[in-house]
Amino acid sequence: MLTEKIMHECIKKLLANAEAPKQEELECLVKLMSTVGRQLDANPKAQMHMNAYFERICMCSRNTTLESRIRFTLQDLIDLRYNGWVPRREVEGPKKIDQIHADAHRDGANRARAAAGGPNMRGNRGGDYRSAGLDAYGGPPQRDNWGGAASRAPAAGGGASAFAPAQPAPPPAKKLSREELEKRVRGTLDEYFSTGDKAELSESIKELLGLSEATQVFEQIPLVAISKMRGVDWSLITEVMMHLCGGDQPTLPKPAVQEGTRSLLNTMGVEDVMGDAPKAADWVGGVLGALVSAGVLPLKEVATATLEAAVEEEGEDGQLVDGGSAWKLVGAVLQAVAQNSNQAQMSKQWKETGLHLDAFFPSDIATAT
């Protein structure tokens, strides 16, 4: 039996050269980690090591010098860990010869008994038991409290039968934490930037919608791009958002997009995102402006959400306004609208909001002007 320490040493050697990995070593790594990963992750003392391993595995999954097959296999391994080491589909291993013979013998016996009208090896009766006034277990039919027939199961140990208990509903899927959602979103974006496969992008996001709210998924795409993917081409982020939110059958529905926009802008104000990424207002404004141009978001909704983002007390400026980011963001939105339509159309849409641009400047600057 190999010890846990030896497993860690093997993994470290297979990941020793993450910048220029060998494909055969990565294939061995995936096989090994798929087998022992659950056990290693269960040890609290190994969490720091496991996190470090998967940081390197994520790095390898984005290495475009590797074959797509290898990168997808690595991404599957990442997903496996995020899913608690529960595979998407159960893999049935090869059977032994004696198991095959036993299955064949049992199936043959069942067919013979069914043809003769006798009980089969699974406990059911051959023939039409209902016509004889019996239930599925050979006894008189039981009645439930509403006068209908009730199912019953054999009692343990071969004694008197008892009513079969109702099967409990399956537990709801565990929701992802913010950190887990960030990792999944980043992996999805990395995969799309590598392959350009929009169908796969939609499927990956649909999987996330079963584990997180649609508003959270919408919010995290630009936030992950800002905080985790420095230097990313924001035209690609706009392309992703337009694909997921636009069209006749969007992956992210309009109500979730509108609510997600408010949540996104509020988070940007509360967490002072612009303090770490001064151009974030321009980037996000460009994405929201594209959605406005496509008819996914009303311009007034974006402008109002910008004013109301991170307001601590009624009557005071929100933190986007007070920090001088609100006017930059709205300016970027209007610029994107003008680029996707024309200046006259942009002016008309802005007039219909009923808002004034000086509202987006800090109060001391607006008063001075």
Side-chain angles (χ1 to χ4, degrees):
M1 179 68 70
L2 296 178
T3 66
E4 187 171 319
K5 181 178 179 181
I6 294 176
M7 291 296 98
H8 282 289
E9 290 299 323
C10 292
I11 293 171
K12 288 176 183 177
K13 288 183 178 180
L14 292 171
L15 284 171
N17 192 9
E19 294 182 358
K22 295 180 179 179
Q23 297 192 153
E24 58 271 19
E25 291 182 347
L26 293 179
E27 289 181 302
C28 292
L29 171 72
V30 170
K31 291 288 186 183
L32 176 61
M33 193 67 84
S34 299
T35 304
V36 303
R38 182 196 292 269
Q39 288 76 15
L40 297 181
D41 237 354
N43 183 355
K45 295 181 180 180
Q47 284 293 306
M48 183 176 67
H49 295 293
M50 290 294 286
N51 291 337
Y53 300 154
F54 273 85
E55 284 184 11
R56 292 202 164 202
I57 292 171
C58 286
M59 184 190 305
C60 293
S61 72
R62 298 191 297 271
N63 189 332
T64 55
T65 63
L66 295 172
E67 293 180 5
S68 297
R69 176 181 61 84
I70 298 295
R71 288 188 282 114
F72 291 152
T73 303
L74 293 171
Q75 187 60 51
D76 286 343
L77 178 62
I78 295 169
D79 291 342
L80 180 62
R81 190 193 187 206
Y82 290 153
N83 290 332
W85 299 100
V86 177
R88 293 182 181 178
R89 50 187 176 273
E90 197 69 31
V91 179
E92 185 176 352
K95 294 182 178 181
K96 296 180 179 179
I97 293 295
D98 56 348
Q99 290 177 310
I100 295 174
H101 288 313
D103 290 346
H105 177 73
R106 183 175 62 251
D107 290 342
N110 283 339
R111 286 194 295 270
R113 285 177 172 80
N120 65 26
M121 296 178 68
R122 291 184 175 88
N124 293 330
R125 302 277 178 177
D128 188 356
Y129 54 82
R130 295 179 184 85
S131 63
L134 305 176
D135 68 6
Y137 296 98
Q142 303 296 308
R143 312 300 294 180
D144 62 16
N145 292 335
W146 290 273
S151 62
R152 63 176 182 171
S161 63
F163 287 108
Q167 293 296 322
K174 181 182 177 182
K175 296 295 183 182
L176 297 176
S177 67
R178 177 171 174 176
E179 181 181 359
E180 291 170 332
L181 180 57
E182 286 177 351
K183 291 179 180 178
R184 294 287 293 269
V185 167
R186 177 169 181 176
T188 298
L189 293 176
D190 283 337
E191 183 174 350
Y192 175 70
F193 296 157
S194 175
T195 65
D197 189 336
K198 291 184 177 179
E200 181 63 28
L201 169 65
S202 296
E203 288 303 314
S204 297
I205 294 298
K206 286 176 183 177
E207 288 183 13
L208 289 182
L209 294 181
L211 301 170
S212 299
E213 299 296 331
T215 54
Q216 296 173 329
V217 175
F218 174 90
E219 175 188 11
Q220 283 302 317
I221 293 173
L223 287 179
V224 166
I226 293 169
S227 61
K228 309 293 185 183
M229 305 177 77
R230 298 293 176 88
V232 68
D233 183 349
W234 273 82
S235 66
L236 293 176
I237 300 298
T238 301
E239 181 180 295
V240 167
M241 299 296 270
M242 289 289 287
H243 172 70
L244 296 175
C245 305
D248 295 332
Q249 295 181 323
T251 305
L252 299 174
K254 284 187 179 182
V257 173
Q258 293 187 18
E259 186 178 345
T261 297
R262 285 189 168 271
S263 181
L264 167 63
L265 296 177
N266 193 66
T267 300
M268 291 176 67
V270 170
E271 298 184 1
D272 190 24
V273 171
M274 276 64 67
D276 294 326
K279 300 188 76 173
D282 298 305
W283 297 332
V284 173
V287 172
L288 297 180
L291 295 175
V292 169
S293 300
V296 177
L297 277 172
L299 178 57
K300 185 173 182 178
E301 175 70 22
V302 177
T304 303
T306 304
L307 289 175
E308 296 175 353
V311 173
E312 295 181 348
E313 294 186 17
E314 188 176 354
E316 292 187 354
D317 289 339
Q319 294 184 37
L320 286 183
V321 175
D322 194 48
S325 298
W327 66 269
K328 295 179 182 178
L329 192 146
V330 170
V333 171
L334 295 177
Q335 184 178 7
V337 173
Q339 288 176 347
N340 289 290
S341 54
N342 55 62
Q343 191 74 27
Q345 184 66 23
M346 181 272 291
S347 299
K348 179 183 177 182
Q349 289 190 52
W350 178 253
K351 187 176 181 179
E352 290 172 351
T353 67
L355 299 170
H356 298 281
L357 284 174
D358 57 5
F360 296 87
F361 289 87
S363 297
D364 52 347
I365 297 179
T367 302
T369 55

